[in-house]
Amino acid sequence: MKRVFSGVQPTGNLHLGNYLGAIRRFVELQNDFDCLYCIVDLHAITVPQDPAELLRAAREVTAGFLAAGLKPERCIIFNQSQVREHGHLAWILNCFTPLGWLNRMTQFKEKAGKSREEAVLGLYAYPVLMAADVLLYKTTHVPVGEDQKQHLELARDIAGAFNRRYGIDLFPLPEPMITGAATRVMSLRDGTAKMSKSDPSDYSRINLTDGPDVIAKKFQKARTDSEPGVGYDPERRPEAANLINIYAALAGLTRDEVCARFADAQFSAFKRALTDLAVETLGPVGNEMKRLMADSGHVDGILRAGAERASALAQPIIAEVERAVGLHQP
Ligand code: AQP
């Protein structure tokens, strides 16, 4: 059986990177796989969060999932904190994860920065919770953006360590699914930094709820170089390459096809075409998100039902884990 799991943190505005790198893939997969899509609020609290804003953002991510085309009858949409087995399995897996493996995680180094002594344990253990999220459902495939590749490799290592320790084949080794032209959408202000919800500058990203005028302004102000034409050269022209990748992903074209289409155009004309394409693609998603956000009862009902279904899948697997480890089961 093929099973897909992936998560999105409720940490702010959903952006074009989340959409192209993850959510749009989720929608494609729901027809062919048994899929679970999770709002990973326990991951979100590894950095300080305002409680009211965290609740709002969890509903917003759910609205984003639905507006992008996820159907609760074809996949399970739920909140991580509402399925207690995530935290339970994370603790067990903590006991199989050497510190040396965690010390290699680049996301922790980036997020902790220079203040490593003040960084909280949850931020350091984040990749083990992510491994638990995935392994709790015996997931076989994980669609994510490029930034999560290292964490998924760790999840495979942890699964292997657990299986070997008990001489069993309990956890399948989850395969990353990192494909397409936009597995790493970069900031509009800096072509070497990834587009992120936590970037303080709103001009660094296109939010899924941005209206046409805001999208136009952000692309117009997006940093580029002084070369006039549309050429793909990520080393020399990282910002231009990022915009070409975004266009390619939105239009379903290859980079070469995009460059050929705009071979005679000025970069400013390309930016205008990109704006039109982004407005056309994201406009309906943003409008539907806003409509759903005004109906929190509906969104909460979907999350409640999703958590029940996810729990039902998780319980027999956690029982298998407990039996393997020798934890008491009344
Ligand atoms: N820029 C991106 N390009 C492609 N995929 C991306 N993803 C995130 N950013 C990009 C993918 O989206 C899914 C959810 O990721 P997340 O919830 O961790 O989102 P984020 O934007 O990375 O969130 P934050 O809070 O801003 O985190 P940091 O500070 O770490 O960047 C994942 O599949 C991710 O790969």
Side-chain angles (χ1 to χ4, degrees), residues 107-163:
Q107 183 175 293
F108 174 75
K109 289 181 196 160
E110 280 160 19
K111 287 201 169 181
K114 291 197 175 70
S115 51
R116 278 183 82 154
E117 290 298 311
E118 282 90 58
V120 298
L121 177 60
L123 190 62
Y124 186 65
Y126 178 117
V128 186
L129 177 59
M130 179 165 154
D133 298 337
V134 169
L135 300 178
L136 182 58
Y137 302 98
K138 295 196 178 183
T139 299
T140 56
H141 292 81
V142 187
V144 279
E146 180 73 36
D147 59 316
Q148 292 302 326
K149 192 166 178 234
Q150 193 186 35
H151 287 165
L152 257 176
E153 280 161 7
L154 182 82
R156 289 168 62 89
D157 289 344
I158 295 174
F162 185 95
N163 289 345

Side-chain angles (χ1 to χ4, degrees), residues 31-48:
N31 296 325
D32 301 322
F33 290 83
D34 180 14
C35 296
L36 293 110
Y37 296 123
C38 188
I39 291 90
V40 287
D41 48 3
L42 296 177
H43 283 282
I45 60 168
T46 57
V47 295

Side-chain angles (χ1 to χ4, degrees), residues 6-9 11 15 17-18 21-22 107 111 126 143-148 182-185 194-198:
S6 198
V8 174
Q9 298 186 73
T11 45
H15 54 72
N18 301 135
Q107 183 175 293
K111 287 201 169 181
Y126 178 117
V144 279
E146 180 73 36
D147 59 316
Q148 292 302 326
T183 55
R184 190 169 173 82
V185 177
K194 102 177 166 88
M195 186 178 284
S196 147
K197 301 194 207 90
S198 51

